[in-house]
Amino acid sequence: MKETEIPPEHPRAESLRIREKLVEHYKAGIVAKAGLFAHGRGEAFDYLLGEKTTKNALKAIEAAAAALLTAKHPVISVNGNAAALAAKDIVKLAEVTRAKIEVNLFYRSAEREIAIKKLLEAAGAKQVLGVGKAASAKIFEIGSERRRVDPAGILVSEVVLVPLEDGDRTEALVKMGKKVVAIDLNPLSRTAQFATITIVDNIVRAMPALVETAEKLKQEDRRKLESILSDFSNKKNLGEAMNLISQRLSELADKGTFISIAQKGKE
Ligand code: ATP
Ligand code: MG
């Protein structure tokens, strides 16, 4: 089903549109095949969360904005899925927080890196790090080509936003002493567990909310931002995200069936 063929009244129209967007970007060489599976894993958790940005996610978004705004060298690490689903907001967030944008892929390929760079530039990015030979530094905590980073970007950053990252790399970045902000729908994933600040939300909702929050917090003084950061506990926040899922499931479990077939002519 093409994006244009999805009936607007379909109860899962938004989710189908997002899937279709990923398929289109897979065909264009931006999303990796494994990225399609990764999205499916995320979607399952979105179902459990009720497909909305929770208050709990908003707290993590505030802390994330404060971390990016107080950093000297903030970096937004971009993979295929993130570029396909949030290119415009990645560029906006980079502008508001003065962050650099770096392409950092699990499955590295020159073609994919260039395709992602072009997509980001079309969305307004002025500079895109990490492409080709620019990713000349190596993170020793991880093996293979996945260890490559840009010496002008992730290598020297203290805060890295990694929307949809893999657990090994999140762990490596934290071991390097960096503050890692993750966007991950699954509060149980290693990424969510290892990150300094985990936003348990869908990237398509979290990124615009992060841009808006960063714009607001930019008006505040540094002390206020630092107090937001020190008041935030990722351990507590992740626990709350798990509790939300658990409470929602137990409420639905009391009902057993909670969706009924719509009758023609009736609401
Ligand atoms: P980890 O390596 O962190 O333990 P994993 O191996 O279970 O995680 P990966 O396939 O490495 O999963 O990473 C994909 C992650 O991205 C998943 O945790 C999934 O929940 C998350 N994800 C996928 N799509 C989205 C999305 N649109 N918004 C937010 N999170 C997403
Ligand atoms: Mg993984």
Side-chain angles (χ1 to χ4, degrees), residues 134-146:
S136 59
K138 288 175 184 165
I139 305 180
F140 286 97
E141 281 81 356
I142 37 179
S144 78
E145 282 306 284
R146 288 159 50 203

Side-chain angles (χ1 to χ4, degrees), residues 217-264:
L217 289 184
K218 210 178 168 175
Q219 319 301 325
E220 301 287 346
D221 63 23
R222 199 178 168 92
R223 241 184 302 158
K224 163 86 182 175
L225 301 181
E226 280 164 0
S227 85
I228 290 175
L229 269 179
S230 59
D231 288 348
F232 181 80
S233 156
N234 207 41
K235 188 173 168 170
K236 194 164 153 243
N237 199 257
L238 275 174
E240 272 174 31
M242 292 177 214
N243 250 329
L244 280 173
I245 292 177
S246 151
Q247 277 162 16
R248 184 160 184 271
L249 277 182
S250 55
E251 277 166 31
L252 296 178
D254 285 343
K255 296 183 187 161
T257 55
F258 59 95
I259 302 175
S260 47
I261 296 171
Q263 303 287 318
K264 273 211 173 125

